[in-house]
Amino acid sequence: MSDMPAWAWGATIALIIALFVFDLLVAVRRPHAVGIREATFWSVFYIAAALLFGLAVWLLGGSTAGAEYFSGWIVEKSLSVDNLFVFVIIMARFAVPAEYQQKTLLFGIAAALALRTVLIAIGAAAISLFSFTFLIFGLILIWTAVQLIRHRDEEPDVEDTFLVRRARRILPVSRDFHGGRMLAREDGDRVMTPLLLVFVAIGSTDVLFALDSIPAVFGVTDDPFIVFTANAFALLGLRALYFLIEGLLERLVYLSIGLSVILAFIGAKLILEFLHEDVTHSVPEIPTPASLGVILLILVATTGASLVRVRHHPEEKAKPGSLRRRRERPREEEPAARPPR
């Protein structure tokens, strides 16, 4: 589907934007704590939308394109679960009230999709220009898998990202949420609320996740259209999925290990593909249906083993894992922090 016409790109982008706007207007128009029934409805809705879009890709682009889309979507959806771990940490660290969480998540996810679109364009251009890009992507994924295994019991420092530090220096930070606004005025001065910091934290940490998820989906397909749509439909509905499985996340104690195995497998697949195309055709390739089967098997085994482990050891809690050891540092005082009015 690499020769996708411009009108199809335009229609797909319009559909994705419309779904985000629909989510914003219908689901987030009134600040409130999200219950299990509401989260279930929206999760099912967006999963159904992703599956219907995949069916359309299968019918219009053929079985190969359809299999690549579903494989890419499953990879991105499974990796996005690790995002949810970090979202939970961010909400807790910044003490975001329940009624403001979904609004912040939605804006953060929209920003993440915009940033990922840029990375996808860069990745697609690199693949078309340099044949060794698959080798680089494969090595990145294997390195990420090793780091995630090494630091699987740690949590990323969501308050120490570059963008969060810069945001704190630009404007004073209020301790008041000001009715869910991101910018407000206190004593005539412009201030940012904690929600704006949360928005920046979600967007900036998702960029780090994209550094492994984008190469991972390119390991399934090199079609930019499928890469983009798999990412978009994996992120759509992530807000609802957060509230649906928030309590389940801490029970997935082996999730980091399962994701590490998936990343290492896709990294090896990319390296084999590079060797097959640029060194010798005697090196075998891993077909997309086989990749899909392996990924699903790893996810099922990881989830099942996690639930069994927690059943016998209920005191254990899952951690999202990190790509580097968290630095021990004294907590900096927030500049010009203002008391609540």
Side-chain angles (χ1 to χ4, degrees):
M1 298 185 71
S2 56
D3 56 348
M4 182 65 61
W7 68 264
W9 272 100
T12 301
I13 293 173
L15 172 64
I16 291 168
I17 293 175
L19 287 172
F20 267 111
V21 173
F22 176 76
D23 206 7
L24 177 64
L25 295 179
V26 177
V28 198
R29 63 174 181 240
R30 176 178 54 86
H32 64 284
V34 178
I36 190 68
R37 291 182 61 184
E38 180 182 352
T40 301
F41 172 81
W42 288 112
S43 295
V44 171
F45 173 83
Y46 282 110
I47 289 174
L51 295 178
L52 287 174
F53 185 85
L55 180 60
V57 170
W58 192 297
L59 293 175
L60 298 176
S63 59
T64 299
E68 288 179 350
Y69 167 82
F70 282 115
S71 299
W73 178 71
I74 290 173
V75 167
E76 293 300 318
K77 202 68 174 177
S78 60
L79 291 175
S80 70
V81 173
D82 212 31
N83 291 33
L84 297 182
F85 266 113
V86 180
F87 293 168
V88 171
I89 295 171
I90 291 173
M91 295 299 177
R93 295 277 169 81
F94 289 92
V96 181
E99 62 268 25
Y100 301 139
Q101 290 184 5
Q102 59 174 339
K103 174 184 176 181
T104 311
L105 282 171
L106 190 59
F107 279 109
I109 291 168
L113 179 58
L115 293 171
R116 287 192 182 204
T117 301
V118 175
L119 293 177
I120 289 170
I122 294 173
I127 288 173
S128 65
L129 293 174
F130 309 108
S131 60
F132 56 83
T133 302
F134 279 146
L135 176 62
I136 295 174
F137 280 179
L139 293 175
I140 289 174
L141 291 179
I142 292 175
W143 178 85
T144 302
V146 171
Q147 293 299 107
L148 194 56
I149 283 288
R150 289 181 59 194
H151 306 300
R152 63 185 180 276
D153 293 325
E154 298 176 21
E155 296 179 352
D157 193 347
V158 297
E159 297 177 85
D160 193 38
T161 66
F162 172 78
L163 291 178
V164 170
R165 294 198 305 269
R166 294 299 301 173
R168 290 182 183 275
R169 294 189 177 101
I170 294 174
L171 283 175
V173 181
S174 171
R175 292 193 179 96
D176 196 325
F177 284 88
H178 288 276
R181 285 179 288 173
M182 294 189 180
L183 292 173
R185 285 193 177 275
E186 291 183 352
D187 299 326
D189 298 327
R190 177 77 70 176
V191 297
M192 71 173 69
T193 72
L195 279 187
L196 182 55
L197 283 183
V198 172
F199 168 75
V200 172
I202 289 175
S204 57
T205 53
D206 191 83
V207 172
L208 299 178
F209 282 106
L211 295 180
D212 58 54
S213 66
I214 298 300
V217 74
F218 271 115
V220 174
T221 176
D222 59 359
D223 189 319
F225 180 80
I226 296 178
V227 172
F228 170 72
T229 53
N231 264 273
F233 280 96
L235 289 175
L236 279 168
L238 197 59
R239 173 194 62 81
L241 189 62
Y242 167 87
F243 296 103
L244 182 63
I245 66 173
E246 181 180 4
L248 176 63
L249 285 174
E250 64 182 18
R251 302 178 65 187
L252 301 178
V253 293
Y254 293 134
L255 177 65
S256 292
I257 296 176
L259 295 180
S260 298
V261 175
I262 290 175
L263 291 175
F265 169 75
I266 298 177
K269 181 179 185 295
L270 283 169
I271 293 174
L272 289 175
E273 188 166 344
F274 164 76
L275 295 175
H276 178 85
E277 295 292 336
D278 291 72
V279 180
T280 173
H281 289 298
S282 62
V283 175
E285 290 183 293
I286 302 176
T288 299
S291 300
L292 178 58
V294 170
I295 293 167
L296 287 174
L297 180 62
I298 294 172
L299 290 175
V300 171
T302 299
T303 303
S306 296
L307 296 179
V308 170
R309 176 70 180 179
V310 172
R311 182 178 181 181
H312 292 90
H313 300 274
E315 74 283 356
E316 293 192 13
K317 305 295 181 184
K319 298 289 182 66
S322 178
L323 298 185
R324 61 184 176 88
R325 186 176 297 279
R326 183 172 179 174
R327 294 180 299 170
E328 294 295 332
R329 59 183 178 85
R331 185 177 178 86
E332 298 178 358
E333 293 184 3
E334 296 180 354
R338 297 169 177 267
R341 296 172 64 86

